[in-house]
Each structure stands twice: as structure tokens, then as C-alpha cells.
Amino acid sequence: MVHPARLLPEWASSNCRKALTARYLNMLFKDHAFIRMIHRNFYPLGDRMYRSSQPTPGQVADLAAMGIRTIINLRGRRESCGSYFFEVRACARYGIDLIDFRVRSRDAPYKEDLFAAREMWSRIRSPAVMHCKAGADRVGFMSTLYMFVVEGRPLAEAQQQLSWRFGHIRQAKTGILDYFFDSFARTGGRTVDEFYEWLDKEYDREQLKRDFLSRRWANLLTDKLLHRE
């Protein structure tokens, strides 16, 4: 779903102090914004795109001051989430387009989504920012795809966007994102055209899910300790 700049949906327009306080506490504690206020996990992906964790309203203001024109929310539409509520409001306030483009962190990607991502990047207003919750897994996957498809970087270099540096743990269930790109690399393909041809004609999502194995210690770390989505 696309929220055009300066267009505030009715569900996000309430200014009831009690409701706003409840939303803010939800953002701060249940959605762990207090951590992201300290560490934004914010990095450039070239001149037209950045990667980030979920921005707070103040961080959206900072992005607007930088000249950011589009925010791509990889968590999807989440009206009950305080972070999403304030993000929608802040984007409307600062004239930033907000695009809800849901990506999964523990599941093999759908090929339709990867074709849609390429089309989306071709039409958005830039510069732009992509984010998930922590800025580690979903945005790491999409940053890899972006660096390969849009920036024209070799896949091995692009895959550095999925690394410990950003908080990504490939031994966990989230490692299926690495395994997806590794599966294409094993075909010997190198170009973007070869990638999308493989995706369209050879990629077997269900088989990839059956073949991938995660490690228990890593899953405990990401799910129980870090509380990743």
C-alpha cells in the first residue's frame, strides 16, 4: 500500500492524548524503539537509497531534513503497531511517500515479490530509505537485491548486506535469505537477466524451504533474546 506524501489516513489522524500516549508506549517498549533511539543501523546503499531500522518520528524528521522523499516499510501495514502509527503521521507531516512492501525474514521469498521490487524501485521518488524492524534481516535481503539489481554490484559483494555487521545471523531461520541467493549463485549465473530468468523458470520455493536447515542456538538467539520478527 502506498501512502502518498501529505495524505493522512483517518485511522492515524486521532489526536486523543490518551490514545497517543498508549501508541507511544507501544512503540517505545513493545516494539523496542528505545533501542533504535540509540542505534539506528542506518547505512547508505549508493546515492539514491539507504537502509535502516524502523525510524522513530524524530528520525523521520531527520530523514526529511536529509532530503529523503520515500520510505519503504518492509514490515507491511501494521495499524496496531505504535511505530507504524507514528511513521504514517510523520511521513504525512514531512511530505515523504510511505510504501508498505512486506518482506518475510524466515521464509523463502515469493518470486512475484522480487519482480515487484524491481518495478517499485524504478518508479519511486528518490532518495529513499528501506527499513524493517531492527535493520538486519528483511532490509538486508532487500539491500542485497537492490545492490545487485539496481546498483549493478556483483552478487557476492551485494550479499555483504546480509552480515553480522548489521545484526543478521545466517545460521538462524533468517539464513534462508542467504540460502536463496546462494542457490542462484550455484547455477553459475552472474547477471541480473540471468537471475530473473532463473527466478521465473527454475526457482522452486518449496524445495528451497525443504533444503534449508537452521541451527537451534541461532534460533534461540534471534527469537528469544533479540525478539526479531
Side-chain angles (χ1 to χ4, degrees):
M1 181 175 183
V2 181
H3 301 277
R6 300 179 180 86
L7 181 61
L8 186 62
E10 184 177 352
W11 64 267
S13 61
S14 172
N15 288 311
C16 170
R17 182 172 296 180
K18 183 177 180 180
L20 289 175
T21 299
R23 293 274 198 177
Y24 189 83
L25 292 175
N26 176 279
M27 175 187 74
L28 193 63
F29 297 111
K30 186 173 182 179
D31 203 48
H32 307 137
F34 68 92
I35 297 175
R36 301 189 294 273
M37 289 177 176
I38 301 170
H39 178 55
R40 295 177 63 184
N41 216 2
F42 182 81
Y43 298 94
L45 298 172
D47 296 332
R48 295 175 295 171
M49 184 69 72
Y50 296 82
R51 59 176 290 169
S52 176
S53 59
Q54 169 75 58
T56 64
Q59 290 165 352
V60 173
D62 293 339
L63 294 174
M66 287 176 53
I68 295 299
R69 303 176 72 189
T70 301
I71 292 178
I72 302 170
N73 163 38
L74 303 179
R75 304 176 73 183
R77 183 186 177 101
R78 303 162 60 89
E79 293 183 15
S80 63
C81 176
S83 295
Y84 182 70
F85 174 83
F86 286 109
E87 181 177 27
V88 169
R89 290 168 66 94
C91 285
R93 178 179 181 181
Y94 295 108
I96 297 175
D97 291 340
L98 177 62
I99 298 175
D100 299 326
F101 190 94
R102 187 183 177 210
V103 174
R104 298 158 183 82
S105 64
R106 291 167 173 77
D107 198 1
Y110 289 87
K111 69 178 182 179
E112 295 82 4
D113 291 342
L114 304 187
F115 279 96
R118 181 173 62 171
E119 194 276 330
M120 172 185 64
W121 288 325
S122 72
R123 59 178 170 79
I124 61 172
R125 298 195 302 159
S126 60
V129 175
M130 294 187 291
H131 78 79
C132 54
K133 181 182 179 182
D137 304 313
R138 288 166 290 187
V139 80
F141 175 81
M142 288 290 280
S143 296
T144 297
L145 187 68
Y146 180 86
M147 295 293 280
F148 178 57
V149 171
V150 178
E151 292 291 324
R153 305 292 179 86
L155 182 59
E157 178 184 341
Q159 281 188 267
Q160 294 174 15
Q161 298 297 323
L162 282 165
S163 76
W164 281 87
R165 174 189 176 193
F166 307 107
H168 174 71
I169 301 171
R170 68 176 296 153
Q171 293 84 0
K173 294 176 183 177
T174 51
I176 196 168
L177 305 176
D178 305 81
Y179 192 69
F180 167 79
F181 288 116
D182 292 342
S183 297
F184 167 66
R186 284 194 293 270
T187 69
R190 295 177 179 271
T191 69
V192 174
D193 287 343
E194 288 173 326
F195 171 75
Y196 277 101
E197 184 176 3
W198 167 79
L199 191 63
D200 187 43
K201 298 180 179 179
E202 299 179 35
Y203 172 52
D204 187 333
R205 180 175 175 273
E206 294 303 321
Q207 185 61 53
L208 187 139
K209 290 168 63 176
R210 289 191 292 270
D211 291 344
F212 174 72
L213 297 175
S214 61
R215 298 188 181 181
R216 185 172 181 271
W217 67 266
N219 292 327
L220 290 173
L221 178 60
T222 57
D223 298 347
K224 302 301 182 181
L225 182 62
L226 299 177
H227 299 285
R228 295 282 174 76
E229 288 180 349

